[in-house]
Every structure is written in C-alpha cells, then in structure tokens.
Amino acid sequence: MTSTDQSPQTRADRATAKRMRRFDNPWLNPKLIWGASLLLFIIALGILGRFVWNLDLVFTGSTPLKLPPVGFENLRRQEGVWDYPLGTDGGGRDILALIIMGAPNSLFVGMLASLIGMSVGITLGFTAGFVGGRTDDTIRILSDVMITIPPLLILVVFQAAYGDVSLTMMALLIACFVWQSPTRLIRAQVLSMRTSGYVQMAQLSGASTPHIMFREMLPNLVPYLFGSFIANVTTSIVTAVGLEVLGLGPQRIPTLGRTIYEAINAGALIQNLWWWWGIPTLLLAVMFIGLLLINLGLDEISNPRLRKLS
Amino acid sequence: MTSPVLTMKDVSIDFPTPAGIVNAVKSLSLTINPGVKVGFIGESGSGKTTTALAIMRMLAAPGRVSSGEILLGQDKTNVLTLSEEEMRRARLRRVSYIPQGAMNSLNPVMRVENQMWDAIVAHEGKTDLATLRSRSDAALESVGLPARVGRLHPHELSGGMKQRVCIALGVILTPELIIADEPTSALDVVTQRQVMETLTEVQTRIGCGLILIGHDMGLMAQSVDELAVLKDGVLVEHGTTRQIIENPQHPYTKDLISSVPLVGGETFLSPAVAAPASQKTGPEPLLEFRNVTKRYGNVTALQPMSFTLEGDVPQIISIVGQSGSGKSTMGSLMLGFNEPSDGQVLFEGKDISRLSTSEALGFRKNVQAVFQDPYACFNPFYRVEHALKFPFKRFGLSQSDAHTQTAMEEACQAVGLDPDLILRRYPHQLSGGQRQRLIVARALMLSPKLLIADEPVSMVDASLRASILKNIYDLKDKYGISILYITHDLATAYHVSDYVIVLYHGRVAEAGPPKEVIGNPQHPYTQLLIDSIPWPDMNRAWGTSNRFDAEAHLAKAEVQPTIYRGDVDGFNLSTQFA
C-alpha cells in the first residue's frame, strides 16, 4: 500500500481511502459478513441448543400452559419462569425448544430445495445454451410455462391430497418450482459466453465440450450461481412456511410455520399470547434479513465495476 | 488578437485509489483561441479524456481537480468555482461534448428531434414547437443530414449518421468550445472521413474552439491546427500541427508519428532474412477454398470464392475490407467455427467439416488464430499462463511441467515480454498490448502451420501496433508459419503481405500483390479506401475537399467486376462474379 507516503489531508479523504482499501479484498464486504453472521446465529442456535436444552419439552403437555417469557405477565397474571425462558404455548410446549428444533428445519427445507433446484437448473441451462435447436426450445418453453404457474396453488392441492409429508419430501416438492429461474439465467449466460473470446480460444486449444463447460465457463458463473442460490433459498423458505402456516407440510415435526399455524388456530392473537406466534415470526424475519444481506453482499462482490477497482 | 475561449492554468487532476493517489494530469497549461482546432493526442491513460471531462466538470468520482484554474470564454468564467446549476447552464450552451460512442449516447426510445428540443428547452426555457422544429431541422441540415432524420429513432440510423446527429446536438446552441472525444474511433475509414469533414465544416462556420481527442496521429495531422501531445498526464509538446509533424522535439512525439504506417512509406519491418523452410508436410495445398459461399438467411456474407494456398513457402495473405465485407466470415470459415453454405474448406486436402476426432485435434493444432479483442481472449478466472499451458499440454507437445515452463518463457521472450512479470498475473492486470503479445506467444508455442490473424491490432494503442505486427511477421519469417491477415487497415497490409485480397460486400473487388493493389489501386472501392486513410502528411488534402463523393464511388464499386492485378507463386484465387 503506497497511500501512506501521500498522507491524505482531509477527513473525507481518509474516509475515501478507507473505503477504497476495502475493495482490496472483496469478500470483506460488510453486508455479506452481517448476513452470514445472522444465518450462523440461527444455525448455532439449532446445534448448540440441542446440547444445552431439554428437547423433550416440544411434546404436548410437557410444560404448564401459556406461560409468558421471563419478565412478562400473561392475562392470568402468571409471571414467566426461568424454566421456560421464552414462555410456553397453549398445548404445553416450550417455545425455546420449539424454535431450537424448528428453525434449522425451516432452513434445511429451504437449502435442500434450492440445492436440488439449482442442480436441475445448471444442468438444463447448460444443455439448452450449449446444444441449442430443439432441445433449447423444449427447455426454454418448459421453464417459461412453469414460471407462470403459482407454486403455492399446486403445492396446497398436492399436500392436501398427500397428507403428512417428511421434510425431504417437502423440499423435493418445492424444488419442482425453483429450477426455472436458474435455468433461464444460466442459459442466457452460456449463450453470451459461447461466443466470447476465451471460449473460442479454448476451442482453438482443442478443448473438449465438458472442459469448456466446466473449466472455462462454470468458474465465471460462480457469482451468479451464488446469488441465484441464495434467492432460491429465500423463495423456498417462504413457500415452505406458507404451506406450514396453512396447516400443511410435516405434521409431526416442529417447524416455525407449524408453530405459527397452531398459534393462529388456538386464538393466540385474541388471548394476547404474542410470544407464541411472535418469536417464530421474529426468527423468520432474522433469517430473511440475513439471506437478503448475503445476496446484496454477493451482488456487490460479483459486480464487475467494483471488481475492476481492486 | 481575440481573447482565448479556454485558458487552463496549472491544472492537476487526482484520483484517489487503493494504491494511493494517482495524478492523472499534472500541471497542464494551455490556451485555445476561437476558431482554432486543437488535437489532444496520447495513448490510453495519458489523461486526455480526463482533461476534457474536467473542463465540463464531469469527472467521475472520486477524481477531482486538485489545483489550477480553468477559465472559459471571453468573460473568463472559472468553471471550477461555478455552482452545480450555473455549470448545468454552461454545459452545451458554452461547452459541448461529443462523446466517443455516439451509438450509445442517444436515447433509443426518443426521436432524434425530440432529443434536440430537450437541449434547447433545458437552456432557453419553453419554446414553441414551430421554432423548435425549424431549429432542429436547420441543425441537422448543417451536418449534411436531411431534415427527415429528425423524425427517426436512433436505431434507424447508421453509425456515421448517429455521430453526425451528435455533432448537430453539440452545435445547436452555438457553443464557444466543442470537445470531441475520439468521435470517429468506432467508424470505418470512409465514414470517418465524412464525419470529420462535417465536424470541421460546422466548427469553421460557427467559429468556436474545438478540442479533438484521439490517438491516431494521421487523423490529427489531417484535421487540426494545433497539437497537444500528452504522456502520463504531462503535456510534453504543444505547437502548430505542421511544426510538430515536420519537426517533432520530444522522443514520444517522434514515436507517435513514426508508428503510423504509410502506404508506400518506409517499412517498419526489418528486411527479410532468408525465408525458413515451411512447416508444411505432404504434397496437398495447405488451405483450399472450393467455391465457398456463406449465407446468413437472405444475406450473402461471402460470394462463391475459390483459392489455394500452397504453403510451400510461408506467405502472408491479407484480406482487407470494411465491416460487413465478409472478411471475418472468411476467418471463421477457415477455423471451422462456421460451416460454409456451399462449397468446401480443405486443409491439407481434407474437408475440415468432416474430420475424425483425432484429425480434428491435429487440425486445431495446425491452424491457430489471433483475435481482435485482446481483452476477451483470456478467461478472467485463471492466470494468463493458463491460455498458454493448456493447449500446449492438450496437443501433447509438453514432455514435462518443466518443459512447458521453459517453452512458455521462451515464447514470451520471443515477443518481447518478461515471463517473470507476466505469466503469473491475472488478465485484468495486463494491458491490451501485453495480452495481444501473449496471444502471439501462444501461437508461437504451438507452432501451427497456418495462423489466422483477425484484426490483431485494431484494439491496441497506435504506438504498439507496429511492434505487435512485427511479432506476427516474425512468425512467418523466423518460424515459417503461413498467415492470413484479416484487417481493415490497408497501410499495414501493404507492408506485411505477399498478396492482398480486397473484399467488398462479400465479393473480391481487387486482388494481387500489395504494391499493385494498394500502391496503385484500380478498383473504385480500393481507391476510395485509400483516399480515406488519414496519414501525417500536411500537404495532402484530406477532409477539406467539398464533400467527397463516397456514394458515387460505392455505386461504381457495386458494378465493377473483380480486378486481378497479378499473381504470386503459391497462391491462386478465382471467383465467379455473381
């Protein structure tokens, strides 16, 4: 760093210099760091919670009913107790135990669905962009048609007919509706990259098609893939929670959405049991803000205009 | 003596960057008198555009003028102390800016005349429609465009027309100073000449000052009165154009002048040593076109063409033409990136679209290319050595990693690059010239039999062109590689090639040895091209003739059959005139 020998005069200059230095390592992006910390907090809650908290408290009737969090009173003038720091619900379940079990479950469904969707999207997108012709037409039309179908509608019908599902099954079902946008994104990128100089150079170098696809093109797609992956995780979680709040989705496994569903069903709003629905909602909000920040951060990192500054 | 339209005193411009403050322009002083055309010349990064933007107060953040003053006009307004609103009023009315890429500076969803009206209304307030229309029509007519162009949208205009619309926009409020930032760099030579004529004509009529920014010494010599040579942000030389062209003082100016290749001038290549043996094996001709035609839909990009390149002695065949002439189509046909609509492309007697897998690999090894855009040729994900190492291993030339490393280092040195500094870097850390040399080094490492060089120097700074062409020429001279040189630049083709083909609308207009075809053109199209090249010769009337009749020439070129100007051994061309 040579800026030290020309020491900046004003405060604004120093602030600029500091901002510029941050571009040296694009991964030290404040948005990305904050977003990742929020998500790590939720994951840590899920992992550490299993060791320090008694998870048997998620079973119905294992605690007194409708206790408020510590420091609050419920309508029956009961004080919160440290045995159940975040309160209990109307079925005698501990809220803390519920979110320790439920939050990672929601995140897991989102991640898995997005991962499957992305894999399908990458494969189809590359195939469409590379093979072209009929194959391209088929894939393109299929994904365009699928984008217009509202996923919640189909999933509600499907799950209502199917009854209880496992988390994995639910992720699979949601994955059916998140592969379209990565497909389109990658197809477009592949089409423009195919005529780029370095791909032509690789062709001249006698590179095989898999080499061009995976060694020349894919690395340059990584920022897009990350962004698309995070966006898909968000969509998947929204879909999953939406289904759970409607009372669909897994019946026997605690999830954040299902907790909210039960709170609504039991009239928690009228009884002023705000912690029952409020704490899971807050946790979902933290999760979404974390994902959004990660997405914004990655966007800045992969933005070529910012990369050029380094 | 009237007072100057622009006075710059000790202007310095700084850009704070992560690696410290960059002084883009260092204490530059200059005055521009009314009616005088001043050329700012220098290579990219020399601060010429930065200076112009500073005059408009349009420097991109975080750049800023750190010292000095810029005084505009008779009343000596210091533009650096104007408020944002005063500056807005001064832009276009007092200083106008004609940008480099006119194609991107017009609003695609607005009719041309509406954009001109916007400019008038923004500066003069509400004006009635009839006045607006008459003024925009007059402005368009002043740049040689019919008034109906105003009713069109930008996408309906050609590149040259759009550039002229930008000029019309720039002069509609009769400013005191026009800044034209490489106004013709995206245009071909014929259009360039027309646009430059328009610009000087308009400037003379309204009598304003003109700053022309560019890197082409030839164009400068033909169009401006005074020259300011910039190097690394320092004004190294300033004087009248004649003075600078005929008696340059600074070594950098001398370099700039000598780097412009002249038709018929001294060659920039070292005299040919004894040609080495060709790389060729077997009796079949190296490359053969059999009645090759290429059509895209209804458009015929290449009319039926046949030729054989024997390749017994390495030769450089130049294919010259403007954009859309079919020259790049020929290049991609030869590389097998594109299949001909009719006819066959044969390499060593084998049709290249019907090769087995192993033959295809051999073909790839033997036919290599240098492309136009040195920025796109490297995968930004890898260090640059990837582009050299991968094909070397892929074609089985590498015996060991150490062998690859030595081969890479030798190739770099052969093109004048320091391997220790270059090979471990990422593409964005290298300049365009360095990258293009690396691509030449790559071709050298693979030692192909045939090299297709598609506009290898058109995106490289003028001062580096000669040395890169020399590198390419050495491939033929020292390593016996036959080269197909595709270019729009007749002057370089004149020097490097053994045979020249001039293409026009997918047809061969004129073909033969360069001394004949370029030195003494017979075909109207070739004549037009050569007339349009600007070069640093003060006594040549370029851009001052009364609207030279390009259209008439082109109309004649359409019907004129191919003119053959003699043969060279080892290359036979025949076409059917359709």
Side-chain angles (χ1 to χ4, degrees):
Chain A
M1 193 123 316
T2 53
S3 59
T4 40
D5 50 49
Q6 292 171 322
S7 59
Q9 296 90 5
T10 64
R11 202 167 166 189
D13 276 356
R14 274 197 297 272
T16 318
K18 193 177 166 195
R19 203 149 21 97
M20 304 301 285
R21 265 199 297 282
R22 202 170 283 147
F23 290 125
D24 284 358
N25 185 353
W27 294 101
L28 289 179
N29 183 299
K31 289 193 183 115
L32 183 67
I33 294 172
W34 272 104
S37 322
L38 288 179
L39 277 197
L40 280 177
F41 160 72
I42 289 174
I43 294 169
L45 181 81
I47 294 173
L48 297 179
R50 272 154 221 263
F51 295 109
V52 299
W53 204 247
N54 177 11
L55 292 185
D56 286 344
L57 297 179
V58 297
F59 292 110
T60 315
S62 54
T63 66
L65 306 186
K66 301 175 183 173
L67 277 185
V70 175
F72 293 92
E73 264 184 7
N74 64 9
L75 291 180
R76 278 182 281 172
R77 303 256 162 224
Q78 285 169 309
E79 296 258 332
V81 289
W82 279 106
D83 285 349
Y84 317 108
L86 294 182
T88 60
D89 73 358
R93 283 166 292 200
D94 179 39
I95 299 285
L96 181 59
L98 275 177
I99 62 171
I100 287 173
M101 292 283 280
N105 282 346
S106 297
L107 207 55
F108 166 78
V109 171
M111 293 274 184
L112 186 64
S114 181
L115 211 63
I116 298 169
M118 286 302 288
S119 320
V120 174
I122 291 174
T123 321
L124 289 181
F126 261 109
T127 316
F130 230 93
V131 178
R134 279 282 158 74
T135 322
D136 181 27
D137 289 345
T138 315
I139 293 174
R140 202 185 62 234
I141 291 172
L142 197 67
S143 67
D144 284 355
V145 168
M146 285 294 281
I147 262 178
T148 62
I149 298 175
L152 214 54
L153 182 77
I154 305 284
L155 289 172
V156 164
V157 173
F158 195 88
Q159 299 226 346
Y162 203 79
D164 193 11
V165 288
S166 68
L167 284 175
T168 320
M169 186 64 196
M170 183 141 151
L172 271 173
L173 286 172
I174 293 171
C176 295
F177 295 90
V178 293
W179 57 270
Q180 304 94 326
S181 65
T183 305
R184 286 168 60 110
L185 177 97
I186 289 167
R187 176 180 168 272
Q189 288 295 325
V190 168
L191 280 181
S192 78
M193 262 191 224
R194 246 176 66 167
T195 51
S196 75
Y198 58 85
V199 169
Q200 286 192 331
M201 259 341 195
Q203 275 177 304
L204 275 185
S205 307
S208 58
T209 310
H211 175 98
I212 291 177
M213 277 161 99
F214 295 111
R215 301 290 300 280
E216 302 284 340
M217 287 181 168
L218 199 61
N220 289 297
L221 281 173
V222 165
Y224 298 99
L225 295 181
F226 262 125
S228 178
F229 175 72
I230 300 290
N232 269 347
V233 173
T234 316
T235 323
S236 306
I237 295 179
V238 169
T239 316
V241 171
L243 287 171
E244 288 159 10
V245 170
L246 290 174
L248 302 163
Q251 307 289 312
R252 275 178 256 282
I253 308 157
T255 58
L256 295 180
R258 182 146 194 95
T259 310
I260 298 172
Y261 163 74
E262 278 162 358
I264 296 171
N265 243 12
L269 283 164
I270 276 179
Q271 299 177 54
N272 205 17
L273 303 171
W274 53 265
W275 56 91
W276 192 354
W277 52 268
I279 291 171
T281 311
L282 185 75
L283 220 60
L284 282 173
V286 168
M287 214 183 271
F288 288 135
I289 291 170
L291 287 166
L292 177 74
L293 285 175
I294 291 183
N295 210 355
L296 290 177
L298 286 171
D299 214 25
E300 276 176 22
I301 291 166
S302 58
N303 187 336
R305 267 181 302 173
L306 295 180
R307 246 189 318 191
K308 263 180 202 154
L309 274 169
S310 58
Chain B
M1 189 81 195
T2 49
S3 62
V5 288
L6 182 77
T7 315
M8 290 198 274
K9 284 185 199 154
D10 262 346
V11 175
S12 297
I13 299 170
D14 289 348
F15 277 87
T17 68
I21 293 170
V22 174
N23 304 107
V25 176
K26 291 165 202 141
S27 56
L28 181 131
S29 298
L30 193 76
T31 55
I32 296 174
N33 286 316
V36 175
K37 297 174 287 233
V38 180
F40 279 22
I41 190 165
E43 56 201 72
S44 38
S46 62
K48 47 194 199 308
T49 301
T50 308
T51 312
L53 289 176
I55 300 171
M56 299 286 289
R57 279 257 308 272
M58 275 164 51
L59 278 177
R64 50 138 203 234
V65 179
S66 56
S67 68
E69 48 186 14
I70 301 174
L71 306 175
L72 182 66
Q74 319 285 338
D75 53 347
K76 304 241 178 283
T77 324
N78 189 347
V79 296
L80 300 177
T81 58
L82 291 181
S83 73
E84 199 46 53
E85 175 60 20
E86 286 165 330
M87 194 59 225
R88 183 189 73 76
R89 274 185 264 132
R91 287 185 195 130
L92 195 64
R93 162 172 278 185
R94 303 193 60 185
V95 200
S96 69
Y97 182 76
I98 298 169
Q100 185 164 14
M103 13 312 271
N104 307 326
S105 359
L106 294 171
N107 188 336
V109 296
M110 272 170 87
R111 285 175 207 285
V112 166
E113 59 182 5
N114 289 65
Q115 306 189 31
M116 305 178 89
W117 299 346
D118 267 3
I120 301 174
V121 172
H123 287 273
E124 297 178 0
K126 218 166 155 43
T127 316
D128 67 280
L129 194 64
T131 323
L132 285 175
R133 174 153 283 166
S134 70
R135 282 180 67 179
S136 66
D137 286 355
L140 286 171
E141 270 156 20
S142 76
V143 294
L145 292 172
R148 61 172 182 84
V149 167
R151 261 61 95 197
L152 300 177
H153 282 96
H155 70 266
E156 296 170 283
L157 308 176
S158 70
M161 284 163 95
K162 276 185 242 184
Q163 193 64 63
R164 279 197 246 179
V165 167
C166 281
I167 296 174
L169 245 174
V171 300
I172 198 164
L173 298 174
T174 51
E176 294 154 56
L177 178 68
I178 301 176
I179 300 169
D181 189 355
E182 307 205 20
T184 57
S185 62
L187 306 174
D188 58 50
V189 283
V190 178
T191 326
Q192 163 170 293
R193 181 169 171 178
Q194 290 168 325
V195 168
M196 282 316 297
E197 275 174 12
T198 313
L199 185 60
T200 26
E201 217 175 86
V202 173
Q203 180 262 342
T204 318
R205 199 175 51 243
I206 65 177
C208 59
L210 172 73
I211 296 178
L212 180 69
I213 297 171
H215 59 255
D216 183 347
M217 195 48 122
L219 179 64
M220 287 291 172
Q222 301 284 346
S223 37
V224 299
D225 308 315
E226 283 179 26
L227 263 179
V229 185
L230 282 109
K231 185 178 188 341
D232 301 332
V234 180
L235 181 68
V236 293
E237 198 162 356
H238 178 219
T240 65
T241 310
R242 180 172 291 275
Q243 195 181 325
I244 285 184
I245 298 286
E246 285 171 4
N247 186 18
Q249 298 299 317
H250 195 276
Y252 180 66
T253 318
K254 287 180 192 163
D255 272 0
L256 277 180
I257 296 172
S258 63
S259 70
V260 181
L262 300 179
V263 170
E266 267 177 50
T267 174
F268 54 89
L269 304 166
S270 47
V273 287
S278 160
Q279 300 258 353
K280 187 185 158 186
T281 48
E284 301 287 346
L286 195 58
L287 186 72
E288 186 175 355
F289 264 41
R290 278 194 197 149
N291 271 322
V292 172
T293 314
K294 181 70 193 175
R295 282 183 296 268
Y296 295 105
N298 290 326
V299 183
T300 307
L302 193 66
Q303 303 274 4
M305 178 190 277
S306 302
F307 69 77
T308 49
L309 171 63
E310 290 296 339
D312 292 327
V313 181
Q315 280 176 319
I316 298 185
I317 312 295
S318 290
I319 299 164
V320 187
Q322 296 302 297
S323 42
S325 61
K327 58 187 196 308
S328 292
T329 304
M330 273 184 79
S332 71
L333 286 171
M334 290 175 211
L335 288 169
F337 283 172
N338 236 328
E339 275 189 46
S341 310
D342 281 316
Q344 291 166 302
V345 181
L346 292 93
F347 180 75
E348 295 188 324
K350 290 197 184 92
D351 187 337
I352 61 167
S353 59
R354 289 194 186 74
L355 295 176
S356 68
T357 320
S358 63
E359 282 172 335
L361 197 63
F363 168 72
R364 279 280 168 255
K365 188 212 157 286
N366 286 323
V367 183
Q368 282 296 321
V370 177
F371 293 122
Q372 178 173 18
D373 186 354
Y375 295 91
C377 277
F378 291 91
N379 193 333
F381 188 77
Y382 295 106
R383 294 177 200 279
V384 290
E385 61 182 3
H386 173 81
L388 278 70
K389 202 187 264 177
F390 172 71
F392 198 64
K393 288 187 174 160
R394 173 82 188 145
F395 293 133
L397 299 169
S398 164
Q399 288 145 13
S400 64
D401 282 352
H403 174 234
T404 314
Q405 191 62 32
T406 7
M408 283 198 296
E409 283 169 11
E410 277 168 11
C412 279
Q413 270 151 2
V415 296
L417 292 174
D418 183 349
D420 298 335
L421 285 179
I422 300 287
L423 285 173
R424 299 289 298 163
R425 296 215 180 177
Y426 282 98
H428 70 267
Q429 296 170 311
L430 301 182
S431 73
Q434 285 173 322
R435 296 187 210 191
Q436 200 63 301
R437 279 186 202 199
L438 262 181
I439 294 290
V440 176
R442 174 183 174 280
L444 176 63
M445 253 175 94
L446 303 176
S447 64
K449 294 176 184 168
L450 182 67
L451 181 77
I452 318 284
D454 188 351
E455 300 264 18
V457 293
S458 69
M459 289 178 75
V460 183
D461 269 332
S463 50
L464 295 171
R465 286 184 189 166
S467 61
I468 290 175
L469 275 176
K470 197 172 166 327
N471 286 333
I472 292 177
Y473 190 78
D474 283 347
L475 291 181
K476 170 200 147 190
D477 234 28
K478 293 191 187 146
Y479 304 91
I481 299 170
S482 292
I483 296 167
L484 273 142
Y485 176 49
I486 299 172
T487 185
H488 66 269
D489 183 355
L490 287 109
T492 53
Y494 178 83
H495 290 289
V496 299
S497 46
D498 297 294
Y499 193 86
V500 177
I501 300 172
V502 182
L503 280 186
Y504 177 60
H505 284 185
R507 270 198 339 248
V508 178
E510 196 165 354
K515 295 258 172 330
E516 302 291 326
V517 174
I518 301 173
N520 177 24
Q522 300 289 314
H523 195 278
Y525 181 66
T526 324
Q527 287 169 347
L528 177 67
L529 281 185
I530 291 176
D531 274 351
S532 306
I533 310 174
W535 54 66
D537 174 2
M538 293 304 295
N539 300 320
R540 182 162 167 261
W542 184 93
T544 50
S545 63
N546 316 334
R547 279 268 147 83
F548 83 127
D549 47 347
E551 280 74 20
H553 263 88
L554 291 177
K556 255 195 280 172
E558 283 291 347
V559 291
Q560 173 74 47
T562 307
I563 300 179
Y564 295 97
R565 303 294 303 282
D567 291 322
V568 291
D569 283 342
F571 188 83
N572 294 303
L573 175 81
S574 66
T575 51
Q576 296 154 356
F577 184 65

